[in-house]
Amino acid sequence: KRADTTKSNKLPHTFTQKVRENMNLSHDFNSMNMSGVFIGISGLIGAGKTTLAEALAKELNLPVFYEPVTDNEYLEDFYLDMKKYSFGMQIFLLNKRFKQQQQIVWSGSGGVQDRTIYEDSVFAKMLYDGGLMDERDYRTYCELFQNMSNFMKKPNIIVHLDLSPEESLRRIKMRSRNCETSISLEYLQGLHKAYESFISDIARIIPVIKVDYNRFRTTEEMATAIKEEYQKIANIRHVSFDKQEKVEKIMETPAKTSGHSNALSPSSTY
């Protein structure tokens, strides 16, 4: 009976094997090996996120997760009447990107994601601020996003393709998607401003590599730059009070009777 009890308390072999497999899939932050790393590509409309995501995924041997565009049944209607379809559009995108998040979490193999789930909040806030989403819908969206964020996997890094609104509009016109013909420079200028705020905020949580992308870069250039910058990332800040404490101690020392001032001499230790 004792032997049976001991045996019944052991974890199933399949469970322990799965744990070991997941541990083996964890990313090694101390090497240049990019296997298992999760990279998010962000940027304005037309920046070249999809092209870069595909090329990087191939270069780094990672799966790619595309922005839901071709199967987005809200997209055309949204650009025709943003106010009417803003909430439906944002919920659709949030749902699709959350599904991608779960694929990345459970596969354990990392990947390159064409636009991160966090950027959805940029568009939602801009729609709300611009009067294109009412307050009730925006509150509902924010609460849903917050609840879902508890089950999200943060990217190891976000690569932000930085380009001007003018260049963004030029590239949109070059690719000539029918659903994007109504996008204005004013809309892109507002989006660019919102992105600057987003990048500043998200960089406190997720490391960001901001790339000047007004001119396209080759895959090799981007892969090399990302590897090098990723290796340098270390969110450590050093704080020391020793210097300040020693200066205060010296300032408290009474001046000598020789008539010299209490100023620190070149040989003073502090």
Side-chain angles (χ1 to χ4, degrees):
K1 288 182 178 179
R2 181 178 295 179
D4 291 342
T5 303
T6 304
K7 186 176 181 181
S8 65
N9 287 335
K10 288 184 178 180
L11 292 172
H13 174 69
T14 54
F15 177 82
T16 53
Q17 185 179 22
K18 187 65 178 175
V19 170
R20 290 193 188 101
E21 288 174 359
N22 287 339
M23 288 176 68
N24 291 334
L25 286 170
S26 63
H27 185 66
D28 181 5
F29 291 93
N30 296 315
S31 73
M32 290 293 281
N33 180 18
M34 299 294 283
S35 63
V37 71
F38 175 18
I39 301 171
I41 309 293
S42 74
L44 287 179
I45 302 166
K49 296 181 296 298
T50 304
T51 303
L52 179 62
E54 287 178 338
L56 271 180
K58 185 176 180 181
E59 178 76 15
L60 302 174
N61 195 28
L62 293 169
V64 61
F65 298 88
Y66 296 98
E67 183 176 15
V69 175
T70 56
D71 63 337
N72 189 337
E73 55 190 350
Y74 284 89
L75 192 61
E76 189 171 350
D77 289 332
F78 170 74
Y79 282 128
L80 289 173
D81 191 340
M82 289 187 178
K83 187 174 180 62
K84 182 177 179 180
Y85 294 101
S86 60
F87 184 69
M89 171 76 159
Q90 290 305 126
I91 294 298
F92 174 87
L93 291 172
L94 183 60
N95 181 49
K96 291 291 186 179
R97 277 194 250 274
F98 185 74
K99 183 179 179 180
Q100 289 182 350
Q101 278 269 332
Q102 297 309 295
Q103 290 174 339
I104 294 168
V105 169
W106 291 105
S107 70
S109 58
V112 182
Q113 188 176 32
D114 174 10
R115 198 184 293 285
T116 69
I117 195 169
Y118 301 99
E119 290 166 77
D120 282 350
S121 61
V122 177
F123 286 85
K125 187 177 187 306
M126 186 179 167
L127 289 166
Y128 171 66
D129 290 343
L132 297 172
M133 184 185 291
D134 67 42
E135 186 178 353
R136 179 182 58 181
D137 287 346
Y138 184 62
R139 283 201 318 269
T140 301
Y141 173 84
C142 289
E143 184 177 352
L144 178 60
F145 187 95
Q146 185 63 42
N147 292 335
M148 294 172 77
S149 67
N150 295 321
F151 303 95
M152 293 178 191
K153 177 180 174 65
K154 295 183 181 70
N156 296 115
I157 48 172
I158 291 176
V159 178
H160 180 66
L161 307 182
D162 188 32
L163 74 163
S164 68
E166 291 76 14
E167 179 61 19
S168 172
L169 184 61
R170 188 185 73 82
R171 293 180 190 182
I172 289 169
K173 289 179 177 178
M174 280 181 61
R175 68 186 185 187
S176 291
R177 288 180 183 170
N178 290 332
C179 62
E180 295 178 343
T181 54
S182 61
I183 296 177
S184 66
L185 179 59
E186 184 181 10
Y187 175 78
L188 293 171
Q189 287 170 337
L191 192 58
H192 183 268
K193 185 178 179 181
Y195 256 106
E196 288 297 300
S197 178
F198 162 75
I199 290 299
S200 296
D201 290 341
I202 202 72
R204 297 175 180 273
I205 305 169
I206 302 169
V208 175
I209 299 174
K210 193 174 183 179
V211 182
D212 180 357
Y213 220 60
N214 281 296
R215 181 177 72 82
F216 285 115
R217 305 290 172 176
T218 66
T219 308
E220 291 75 18
E221 283 180 312
M222 292 298 294
T224 300
I226 289 169
K227 286 179 181 179
E228 289 177 353
E229 292 301 318
Y230 185 60
Q231 185 71 8
K232 296 175 187 175
I233 292 170
N235 291 324
I236 302 173
R237 297 292 181 268
H238 296 279
V239 177
S240 175
F241 296 98
D242 292 344
K243 182 176 178 180
Q244 181 63 27
E245 288 172 353
K246 289 176 181 178
V247 169
E248 289 174 354
K249 185 176 181 181
I250 292 170
M251 295 300 290
E252 290 172 1
T253 303
K256 295 181 179 179
T257 54
S258 60
H260 295 296
S261 69
N262 198 32
L264 297 178
S265 67
S267 61
S268 298
T269 304
Y270 62 98

PDB file of all heavy atoms in Angstrom, residues 82-91 94 124-125 127-129 131-145:
ATOM      1  N   MET A  82     -16.123  55.627 -40.414  1.00  0.00           N
ATOM      2  CA  MET A  82     -15.359  55.255 -39.216  1.00  0.00           C
ATOM      3  C   MET A  82     -16.203  55.290 -37.950  1.00  0.00           C
ATOM      4  O   MET A  82     -16.068  54.425 -37.084  1.00  0.00           O
ATOM      5  CB  MET A  82     -14.135  56.171 -39.060  1.00  0.00           C
ATOM      6  CG  MET A  82     -13.054  55.942 -40.079  1.00  0.00           C
ATOM      7  SD  MET A  82     -11.569  56.917 -39.699  1.00  0.00           S
ATOM      8  CE  MET A  82     -10.476  56.376 -41.017  1.00  0.00           C
ATOM      9  N   LYS A  83     -17.051  56.277 -37.835  1.00  0.00           N
ATOM     10  CA  LYS A  83     -17.850  56.424 -36.620  1.00  0.00           C
ATOM     11  C   LYS A  83     -18.803  55.244 -36.427  1.00  0.00           C
ATOM     12  O   LYS A  83     -18.975  54.730 -35.305  1.00  0.00           O
ATOM     13  CB  LYS A  83     -18.637  57.739 -36.649  1.00  0.00           C
ATOM     14  CG  LYS A  83     -19.360  58.049 -35.333  1.00  0.00           C
ATOM     15  CD  LYS A  83     -19.995  59.423 -35.369  1.00  0.00           C
ATOM     16  CE  LYS A  83     -20.721  59.746 -34.069  1.00  0.00           C
ATOM     17  NZ  LYS A  83     -19.826  59.779 -32.899  1.00  0.00           N
ATOM     18  N   LYS A  84     -19.389  54.796 -37.493  1.00  0.00           N
ATOM     19  CA  LYS A  84     -20.361  53.704 -37.420  1.00  0.00           C
ATOM     20  C   LYS A  84     -19.698  52.364 -37.107  1.00  0.00           C
ATOM     21  O   LYS A  84     -20.238  51.561 -36.339  1.00  0.00           O
ATOM     22  CB  LYS A  84     -21.128  53.611 -38.737  1.00  0.00           C
ATOM     23  CG  LYS A  84     -22.197  52.527 -38.743  1.00  0.00           C
ATOM     24  CD  LYS A  84     -22.976  52.534 -40.059  1.00  0.00           C
ATOM     25  CE  LYS A  84     -24.036  51.436 -40.061  1.00  0.00           C
ATOM     26  NZ  LYS A  84     -24.811  51.439 -41.346  1.00  0.00           N
ATOM     27  N   TYR A  85     -18.512  52.132 -37.691  1.00  0.00           N
ATOM     28  CA  TYR A  85     -17.903  50.812 -37.591  1.00  0.00           C
ATOM     29  C   TYR A  85     -16.661  50.761 -36.691  1.00  0.00           C
ATOM     30  O   TYR A  85     -15.987  49.728 -36.646  1.00  0.00           O
ATOM     31  CB  TYR A  85     -17.525  50.309 -39.001  1.00  0.00           C
ATOM     32  CG  TYR A  85     -18.726  50.048 -39.882  1.00  0.00           C
ATOM     33  CD1 TYR A  85     -19.106  50.973 -40.852  1.00  0.00           C
ATOM     34  CD2 TYR A  85     -19.485  48.888 -39.736  1.00  0.00           C
ATOM     35  CE1 TYR A  85     -20.215  50.748 -41.662  1.00  0.00           C
ATOM     36  CE2 TYR A  85     -20.588  48.652 -40.539  1.00  0.00           C
ATOM     37  CZ  TYR A  85     -20.945  49.582 -41.498  1.00  0.00           C
ATOM     38  OH  TYR A  85     -22.046  49.353 -42.292  1.00  0.00           O
ATOM     39  N   SER A  86     -16.356  51.845 -35.993  1.00  0.00           N
ATOM     40  CA  SER A  86     -15.123  51.898 -35.192  1.00  0.00           C
ATOM     41  C   SER A  86     -15.086  50.812 -34.106  1.00  0.00           C
ATOM     42  O   SER A  86     -14.076  50.116 -33.946  1.00  0.00           O
ATOM     43  CB  SER A  86     -14.953  53.277 -34.556  1.00  0.00           C
ATOM     44  OG  SER A  86     -16.050  53.592 -33.710  1.00  0.00           O
ATOM     45  N   PHE A  87     -16.181  50.660 -33.368  1.00  0.00           N
ATOM     46  CA  PHE A  87     -16.191  49.696 -32.263  1.00  0.00           C
ATOM     47  C   PHE A  87     -16.099  48.262 -32.792  1.00  0.00           C
ATOM     48  O   PHE A  87     -15.291  47.453 -32.301  1.00  0.00           O
ATOM     49  CB  PHE A  87     -17.451  49.870 -31.421  1.00  0.00           C
ATOM     50  CG  PHE A  87     -17.498  48.973 -30.213  1.00  0.00           C
ATOM     51  CD1 PHE A  87     -16.636  49.167 -29.149  1.00  0.00           C
ATOM     52  CD2 PHE A  87     -18.419  47.932 -30.149  1.00  0.00           C
ATOM     53  CE1 PHE A  87     -16.673  48.331 -28.037  1.00  0.00           C
ATOM     54  CE2 PHE A  87     -18.467  47.101 -29.032  1.00  0.00           C
ATOM     55  CZ  PHE A  87     -17.589  47.298 -27.982  1.00  0.00           C
ATOM     56  N   GLY A  88     -16.902  47.943 -33.793  1.00  0.00           N
ATOM     57  CA  GLY A  88     -16.860  46.601 -34.380  1.00  0.00           C
ATOM     58  C   GLY A  88     -15.497  46.271 -34.939  1.00  0.00           C
ATOM     59  O   GLY A  88     -14.991  45.152 -34.782  1.00  0.00           O
ATOM     60  N   MET A  89     -14.878  47.262 -35.593  1.00  0.00           N
ATOM     61  CA  MET A  89     -13.549  47.087 -36.171  1.00  0.00           C
ATOM     62  C   MET A  89     -12.518  46.775 -35.085  1.00  0.00           C
ATOM     63  O   MET A  89     -11.710  45.842 -35.206  1.00  0.00           O
ATOM     64  CB  MET A  89     -13.155  48.366 -36.916  1.00  0.00           C
ATOM     65  CG  MET A  89     -11.711  48.414 -37.380  1.00  0.00           C
ATOM     66  SD  MET A  89     -11.410  47.394 -38.822  1.00  0.00           S
ATOM     67  CE  MET A  89      -9.912  48.174 -39.431  1.00  0.00           C
ATOM     68  N   GLN A  90     -12.536  47.529 -33.988  1.00  0.00           N
ATOM     69  CA  GLN A  90     -11.552  47.349 -32.919  1.00  0.00           C
ATOM     70  C   GLN A  90     -11.738  46.014 -32.202  1.00  0.00           C
ATOM     71  O   GLN A  90     -10.760  45.357 -31.843  1.00  0.00           O
ATOM     72  CB  GLN A  90     -11.635  48.503 -31.921  1.00  0.00           C
ATOM     73  CG  GLN A  90     -11.147  49.833 -32.470  1.00  0.00           C
ATOM     74  CD  GLN A  90      -9.732  49.767 -33.028  1.00  0.00           C
ATOM     75  OE1 GLN A  90      -9.482  50.133 -34.164  1.00  0.00           O
ATOM     76  NE2 GLN A  90      -8.799  49.298 -32.216  1.00  0.00           N
ATOM     77  N   ILE A  91     -12.973  45.600 -32.000  1.00  0.00           N
ATOM     78  CA  ILE A  91     -13.238  44.312 -31.359  1.00  0.00           C
ATOM     79  C   ILE A  91     -12.780  43.166 -32.260  1.00  0.00           C
ATOM     80  O   ILE A  91     -12.195  42.174 -31.796  1.00  0.00           O
ATOM     81  CB  ILE A  91     -14.737  44.157 -31.009  1.00  0.00           C
ATOM     82  CG1 ILE A  91     -15.137  45.189 -29.942  1.00  0.00           C
ATOM     83  CG2 ILE A  91     -15.039  42.744 -30.545  1.00  0.00           C
ATOM     84  CD1 ILE A  91     -14.400  45.043 -28.621  1.00  0.00           C
ATOM     85  N   LEU A  94      -8.951  43.074 -32.089  1.00  0.00           N
ATOM     86  CA  LEU A  94      -8.512  42.609 -30.775  1.00  0.00           C
ATOM     87  C   LEU A  94      -8.681  41.091 -30.664  1.00  0.00           C
ATOM     88  O   LEU A  94      -7.797  40.387 -30.159  1.00  0.00           O
ATOM     89  CB  LEU A  94      -9.317  43.309 -29.683  1.00  0.00           C
ATOM     90  CG  LEU A  94      -8.943  42.983 -28.230  1.00  0.00           C
ATOM     91  CD1 LEU A  94      -7.504  43.357 -27.934  1.00  0.00           C
ATOM     92  CD2 LEU A  94      -9.882  43.721 -27.275  1.00  0.00           C
ATOM     93  N   ALA A 124      -7.740  52.743 -31.022  1.00  0.00           N
ATOM     94  CA  ALA A 124      -8.991  52.936 -30.274  1.00  0.00           C
ATOM     95  C   ALA A 124      -9.024  54.305 -29.598  1.00  0.00           C
ATOM     96  O   ALA A 124     -10.033  55.009 -29.648  1.00  0.00           O
ATOM     97  CB  ALA A 124      -9.155  51.825 -29.232  1.00  0.00           C
ATOM     98  N   LYS A 125      -7.912  54.680 -28.971  1.00  0.00           N
ATOM     99  CA  LYS A 125      -7.853  55.987 -28.288  1.00  0.00           C
ATOM    100  C   LYS A 125      -7.964  57.129 -29.287  1.00  0.00           C
ATOM    101  O   LYS A 125      -8.631  58.134 -29.033  1.00  0.00           O
ATOM    102  CB  LYS A 125      -6.554  56.121 -27.498  1.00  0.00           C
ATOM    103  CG  LYS A 125      -6.507  57.396 -26.636  1.00  0.00           C
ATOM    104  CD  LYS A 125      -5.235  57.449 -25.811  1.00  0.00           C
ATOM    105  CE  LYS A 125      -5.277  58.628 -24.826  1.00  0.00           C
ATOM    106  NZ  LYS A 125      -5.556  59.918 -25.450  1.00  0.00           N
ATOM    107  N   LEU A 127      -9.510  57.058 -32.156  1.00  0.00           N
ATOM    108  CA  LEU A 127     -10.907  57.108 -32.614  1.00  0.00           C
ATOM    109  C   LEU A 127     -11.784  57.800 -31.574  1.00  0.00           C
ATOM    110  O   LEU A 127     -12.648  58.609 -31.922  1.00  0.00           O
ATOM    111  CB  LEU A 127     -11.417  55.693 -32.889  1.00  0.00           C
ATOM    112  CG  LEU A 127     -10.839  55.005 -34.134  1.00  0.00           C
ATOM    113  CD1 LEU A 127     -11.156  53.512 -34.116  1.00  0.00           C
ATOM    114  CD2 LEU A 127     -11.355  55.652 -35.409  1.00  0.00           C
ATOM    115  N   TYR A 128     -11.546  57.485 -30.310  1.00  0.00           N
ATOM    116  CA  TYR A 128     -12.315  58.100 -29.230  1.00  0.00           C
ATOM    117  C   TYR A 128     -12.020  59.605 -29.136  1.00  0.00           C
ATOM    118  O   TYR A 128     -12.943  60.432 -29.065  1.00  0.00           O
ATOM    119  CB  TYR A 128     -11.997  57.413 -27.906  1.00  0.00           C
ATOM    120  CG  TYR A 128     -12.575  58.126 -26.697  1.00  0.00           C
ATOM    121  CD1 TYR A 128     -13.954  58.212 -26.501  1.00  0.00           C
ATOM    122  CD2 TYR A 128     -11.733  58.717 -25.757  1.00  0.00           C
ATOM    123  CE1 TYR A 128     -14.482  58.873 -25.403  1.00  0.00           C
ATOM    124  CE2 TYR A 128     -12.250  59.374 -24.651  1.00  0.00           C
ATOM    125  CZ  TYR A 128     -13.621  59.453 -24.476  1.00  0.00           C
ATOM    126  OH  TYR A 128     -14.137  60.109 -23.383  1.00  0.00           O
ATOM    127  N   ASP A 129     -10.747  59.958 -29.141  1.00  0.00           N
ATOM    128  CA  ASP A 129     -10.350  61.371 -29.057  1.00  0.00           C
ATOM    129  C   ASP A 129     -10.869  62.181 -30.243  1.00  0.00           C
ATOM    130  O   ASP A 129     -11.162  63.373 -30.118  1.00  0.00           O
ATOM    131  CB  ASP A 129      -8.825  61.499 -28.984  1.00  0.00           C
ATOM    132  CG  ASP A 129      -8.257  61.013 -27.653  1.00  0.00           C
ATOM    133  OD1 ASP A 129      -9.041  60.895 -26.688  1.00  0.00           O
ATOM    134  OD2 ASP A 129      -7.040  60.750 -27.594  1.00  0.00           O
ATOM    135  N   GLY A 131     -13.675  61.704 -31.708  1.00  0.00           N
ATOM    136  CA  GLY A 131     -15.133  61.689 -31.762  1.00  0.00           C
ATOM    137  C   GLY A 131     -15.712  60.613 -32.669  1.00  0.00           C
ATOM    138  O   GLY A 131     -16.884  60.669 -33.058  1.00  0.00           O
ATOM    139  N   LEU A 132     -14.882  59.609 -33.013  1.00  0.00           N
ATOM    140  CA  LEU A 132     -15.333  58.547 -33.914  1.00  0.00           C
ATOM    141  C   LEU A 132     -15.720  57.272 -33.170  1.00  0.00           C
ATOM    142  O   LEU A 132     -16.102  56.276 -33.786  1.00  0.00           O
ATOM    143  CB  LEU A 132     -14.226  58.240 -34.937  1.00  0.00           C
ATOM    144  CG  LEU A 132     -13.878  59.407 -35.871  1.00  0.00           C
ATOM    145  CD1 LEU A 132     -12.645  59.078 -36.701  1.00  0.00           C
ATOM    146  CD2 LEU A 132     -15.060  59.735 -36.780  1.00  0.00           C
ATOM    147  N   MET A 133     -15.586  57.297 -31.829  1.00  0.00           N
ATOM    148  CA  MET A 133     -16.058  56.195 -30.993  1.00  0.00           C
ATOM    149  C   MET A 133     -16.639  56.811 -29.730  1.00  0.00           C
ATOM    150  O   MET A 133     -15.996  57.656 -29.104  1.00  0.00           O
ATOM    151  CB  MET A 133     -14.916  55.227 -30.628  1.00  0.00           C
ATOM    152  CG  MET A 133     -15.388  54.015 -29.825  1.00  0.00           C
ATOM    153  SD  MET A 133     -14.026  52.935 -29.249  1.00  0.00           S
ATOM    154  CE  MET A 133     -13.468  52.233 -30.793  1.00  0.00           C
ATOM    155  N   ASP A 134     -17.872  56.437 -29.388  1.00  0.00           N
ATOM    156  CA  ASP A 134     -18.488  57.074 -28.225  1.00  0.00           C
ATOM    157  C   ASP A 134     -17.890  56.540 -26.917  1.00  0.00           C
ATOM    158  O   ASP A 134     -17.236  55.495 -26.891  1.00  0.00           O
ATOM    159  CB  ASP A 134     -20.009  56.963 -28.251  1.00  0.00           C
ATOM    160  CG  ASP A 134     -20.528  55.538 -28.076  1.00  0.00           C
ATOM    161  OD1 ASP A 134     -19.988  54.798 -27.223  1.00  0.00           O
ATOM    162  OD2 ASP A 134     -21.472  55.185 -28.785  1.00  0.00           O
ATOM    163  N   GLU A 135     -18.132  57.260 -25.855  1.00  0.00           N
ATOM    164  CA  GLU A 135     -17.483  56.964 -24.574  1.00  0.00           C
ATOM    165  C   GLU A 135     -17.858  55.581 -24.050  1.00  0.00           C
ATOM    166  O   GLU A 135     -17.013  54.861 -23.509  1.00  0.00           O
ATOM    167  CB  GLU A 135     -17.864  58.030 -23.535  1.00  0.00           C
ATOM    168  CG  GLU A 135     -17.130  57.879 -22.219  1.00  0.00           C
ATOM    169  CD  GLU A 135     -17.480  58.969 -21.225  1.00  0.00           C
ATOM    170  OE1 GLU A 135     -18.195  59.917 -21.604  1.00  0.00           O
ATOM    171  OE2 GLU A 135     -17.039  58.862 -20.073  1.00  0.00           O
ATOM    172  N   ARG A 136     -19.090  55.190 -24.198  1.00  0.00           N
ATOM    173  CA  ARG A 136     -19.532  53.873 -23.714  1.00  0.00           C
ATOM    174  C   ARG A 136     -18.777  52.747 -24.411  1.00  0.00           C
ATOM    175  O   ARG A 136     -18.283  51.815 -23.764  1.00  0.00           O
ATOM    176  CB  ARG A 136     -21.045  53.725 -23.958  1.00  0.00           C
ATOM    177  CG  ARG A 136     -21.603  52.386 -23.515  1.00  0.00           C
ATOM    178  CD  ARG A 136     -23.086  52.274 -23.834  1.00  0.00           C
ATOM    179  NE  ARG A 136     -23.345  52.442 -25.262  1.00  0.00           N
ATOM    180  CZ  ARG A 136     -24.567  52.412 -25.809  1.00  0.00           C
ATOM    181  NH1 ARG A 136     -25.627  52.262 -25.027  1.00  0.00           N
ATOM    182  NH2 ARG A 136     -24.716  52.566 -27.103  1.00  0.00           N
ATOM    183  N   ASP A 137     -18.664  52.848 -25.731  1.00  0.00           N
ATOM    184  CA  ASP A 137     -17.937  51.824 -26.488  1.00  0.00           C
ATOM    185  C   ASP A 137     -16.459  51.814 -26.108  1.00  0.00           C
ATOM    186  O   ASP A 137     -15.850  50.748 -25.999  1.00  0.00           O
ATOM    187  CB  ASP A 137     -18.081  52.074 -27.988  1.00  0.00           C
ATOM    188  CG  ASP A 137     -19.469  51.723 -28.507  1.00  0.00           C
ATOM    189  OD1 ASP A 137     -20.214  51.046 -27.771  1.00  0.00           O
ATOM    190  OD2 ASP A 137     -19.807  52.141 -29.633  1.00  0.00           O
ATOM    191  N   TYR A 138     -15.886  52.993 -25.924  1.00  0.00           N
ATOM    192  CA  TYR A 138     -14.463  53.075 -25.585  1.00  0.00           C
ATOM    193  C   TYR A 138     -14.188  52.463 -24.212  1.00  0.00           C
ATOM    194  O   TYR A 138     -13.207  51.747 -24.025  1.00  0.00           O
ATOM    195  CB  TYR A 138     -13.986  54.531 -25.623  1.00  0.00           C
ATOM    196  CG  TYR A 138     -12.503  54.685 -25.366  1.00  0.00           C
ATOM    197  CD1 TYR A 138     -11.567  54.114 -26.231  1.00  0.00           C
ATOM    198  CD2 TYR A 138     -12.037  55.393 -24.261  1.00  0.00           C
ATOM    199  CE1 TYR A 138     -10.207  54.249 -26.007  1.00  0.00           C
ATOM    200  CE2 TYR A 138     -10.683  55.530 -24.029  1.00  0.00           C
ATOM    201  CZ  TYR A 138      -9.767  54.963 -24.900  1.00  0.00           C
ATOM    202  OH  TYR A 138      -8.410  55.088 -24.657  1.00  0.00           O
ATOM    203  N   ARG A 139     -15.073  52.738 -23.238  1.00  0.00           N
ATOM    204  CA  ARG A 139     -14.928  52.150 -21.902  1.00  0.00           C
ATOM    205  C   ARG A 139     -15.012  50.625 -21.971  1.00  0.00           C
ATOM    206  O   ARG A 139     -14.237  49.922 -21.334  1.00  0.00           O
ATOM    207  CB  ARG A 139     -16.014  52.681 -20.958  1.00  0.00           C
ATOM    208  CG  ARG A 139     -15.793  54.073 -20.436  1.00  0.00           C
ATOM    209  CD  ARG A 139     -16.590  54.319 -19.143  1.00  0.00           C
ATOM    210  NE  ARG A 139     -17.941  53.783 -19.191  1.00  0.00           N
ATOM    211  CZ  ARG A 139     -19.009  54.467 -19.603  1.00  0.00           C
ATOM    212  NH1 ARG A 139     -18.871  55.739 -19.990  1.00  0.00           N
ATOM    213  NH2 ARG A 139     -20.205  53.910 -19.611  1.00  0.00           N
ATOM    214  N   THR A 140     -15.955  50.139 -22.750  1.00  0.00           N
ATOM    215  CA  THR A 140     -16.120  48.690 -22.906  1.00  0.00           C
ATOM    216  C   THR A 140     -14.881  48.077 -23.531  1.00  0.00           C
ATOM    217  O   THR A 140     -14.394  47.026 -23.087  1.00  0.00           O
ATOM    218  CB  THR A 140     -17.350  48.376 -23.772  1.00  0.00           C
ATOM    219  OG1 THR A 140     -18.513  48.923 -23.159  1.00  0.00           O
ATOM    220  CG2 THR A 140     -17.533  46.874 -23.957  1.00  0.00           C
ATOM    221  N   TYR A 141     -14.358  48.738 -24.574  1.00  0.00           N
ATOM    222  CA  TYR A 141     -13.155  48.241 -25.249  1.00  0.00           C
ATOM    223  C   TYR A 141     -11.967  48.195 -24.278  1.00  0.00           C
ATOM    224  O   TYR A 141     -11.250  47.190 -24.217  1.00  0.00           O
ATOM    225  CB  TYR A 141     -12.813  49.133 -26.445  1.00  0.00           C
ATOM    226  CG  TYR A 141     -11.487  48.775 -27.065  1.00  0.00           C
ATOM    227  CD1 TYR A 141     -11.391  47.754 -28.008  1.00  0.00           C
ATOM    228  CD2 TYR A 141     -10.320  49.434 -26.684  1.00  0.00           C
ATOM    229  CE1 TYR A 141     -10.170  47.401 -28.556  1.00  0.00           C
ATOM    230  CE2 TYR A 141      -9.098  49.082 -27.226  1.00  0.00           C
ATOM    231  CZ  TYR A 141      -9.026  48.071 -28.158  1.00  0.00           C
ATOM    232  OH  TYR A 141      -7.817  47.715 -28.686  1.00  0.00           O
ATOM    233  N   CYS A 142     -11.767  49.266 -23.527  1.00  0.00           N
ATOM    234  CA  CYS A 142     -10.633  49.348 -22.596  1.00  0.00           C
ATOM    235  C   CYS A 142     -10.724  48.279 -21.510  1.00  0.00           C
ATOM    236  O   CYS A 142      -9.714  47.675 -21.139  1.00  0.00           O
ATOM    237  CB  CYS A 142     -10.569  50.737 -21.954  1.00  0.00           C
ATOM    238  SG  CYS A 142     -10.046  52.034 -23.096  1.00  0.00           S
ATOM    239  N   GLU A 143     -11.937  48.040 -21.010  1.00  0.00           N
ATOM    240  CA  GLU A 143     -12.116  47.029 -19.963  1.00  0.00           C
ATOM    241  C   GLU A 143     -11.836  45.632 -20.519  1.00  0.00           C
ATOM    242  O   GLU A 143     -11.185  44.807 -19.869  1.00  0.00           O
ATOM    243  CB  GLU A 143     -13.536  47.087 -19.398  1.00  0.00           C
ATOM    244  CG  GLU A 143     -13.756  46.125 -18.240  1.00  0.00           C
ATOM    245  CD  GLU A 143     -15.145  46.240 -17.627  1.00  0.00           C
ATOM    246  OE1 GLU A 143     -15.892  47.173 -18.002  1.00  0.00           O
ATOM    247  OE2 GLU A 143     -15.470  45.397 -16.776  1.00  0.00           O
ATOM    248  N   LEU A 144     -12.311  45.379 -21.732  1.00  0.00           N
ATOM    249  CA  LEU A 144     -12.065  44.087 -22.374  1.00  0.00           C
ATOM    250  C   LEU A 144     -10.570  43.888 -22.625  1.00  0.00           C
ATOM    251  O   LEU A 144     -10.021  42.812 -22.354  1.00  0.00           O
ATOM    252  CB  LEU A 144     -12.838  43.994 -23.686  1.00  0.00           C
ATOM    253  CG  LEU A 144     -12.652  42.700 -24.501  1.00  0.00           C
ATOM    254  CD1 LEU A 144     -13.099  41.487 -23.698  1.00  0.00           C
ATOM    255  CD2 LEU A 144     -13.414  42.790 -25.818  1.00  0.00           C
ATOM    256  N   PHE A 145      -9.916  44.924 -23.129  1.00  0.00           N
ATOM    257  CA  PHE A 145      -8.477  44.849 -23.396  1.00  0.00           C
ATOM    258  C   PHE A 145      -7.705  44.562 -22.105  1.00  0.00           C
ATOM    259  O   PHE A 145      -6.794  43.738 -22.085  1.00  0.00           O
ATOM    260  CB  PHE A 145      -7.986  46.168 -24.015  1.00  0.00           C
ATOM    261  CG  PHE A 145      -6.551  46.126 -24.468  1.00  0.00           C
ATOM    262  CD1 PHE A 145      -6.246  45.826 -25.781  1.00  0.00           C
ATOM    263  CD2 PHE A 145      -5.519  46.382 -23.579  1.00  0.00           C
ATOM    264  CE1 PHE A 145      -4.919  45.778 -26.207  1.00  0.00           C
ATOM    265  CE2 PHE A 145      -4.198  46.339 -23.991  1.00  0.00           C
ATOM    266  CZ  PHE A 145      -3.895  46.039 -25.311  1.00  0.00           C
TER     267      PHE A 145
END
